[in-house]
């Protein structure tokens, strides 16, 4: 038996009228989060390499030291921007 009224499911809502954020905004936020996370992991790896080479008595290449020095703060700023963007999107609803 088919109900005579709509249950308000996802097929009944127009595009972008769901309870969550738009799909393109979610995709961009997900991209920012992934980029920030990958950059954080890479910079922590570069930091570990720099410390390991320093412990063995040699110096790390300049690009590895730069990634270790600047990567983590940039990753933090990217993730903070994603959080602020999420808060602003939720306030717009």
């Amino acid at each position: 038996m088919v109900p005579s009224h709509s249950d308000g499911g996802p097929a009944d809502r127009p595009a972008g009228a769901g309870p969550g954020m738009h799909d393109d905004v979610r995709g961009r936020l997900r991209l920012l989060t992934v980029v920030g996370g990958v950059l954080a992991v890479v910079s922590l790896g570069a930091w570990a390499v720099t410390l390991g080479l320093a412990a063995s008595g040699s110096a790390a290449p300049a690009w590895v030291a730069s990634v270790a020095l600047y990567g983590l703060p940039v990753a933090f700023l990217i993730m903070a921007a994603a959080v602020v963007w999420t808060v602003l999107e939720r306030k717009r609803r």
Side-chain angles (χ1 to χ4, degrees):
M1 183 165 165
V2 178
S4 61
H5 66 283
S6 171
D7 63 351
D12 296 326
R13 285 187 223 115
M21 292 180 279
H22 299 292
D23 287 337
D24 61 333
V25 173
R26 281 186 179 170
R28 290 178 184 161
L29 285 171
R30 186 173 296 127
L31 178 66
L32 267 182
T33 304
V34 167
V35 167
V38 167
L39 184 59
V41 168
V42 168
S43 65
L44 285 174
W47 181 70
V49 167
T50 302
L51 286 180
L53 288 174
S56 70
S58 61
W63 69 271
V64 175
S66 294
V67 170
L69 183 63
Y70 298 114
L72 204 55
V74 170
F76 175 77
L77 290 174
I78 289 172
M79 296 249 211
V83 169
V84 168
W85 194 1
T86 302
V87 169
L88 291 175
E89 282 297 319
R90 287 182 186 229
K91 282 188 177 184
R92 285 184 194 162
R93 289 194 290 150

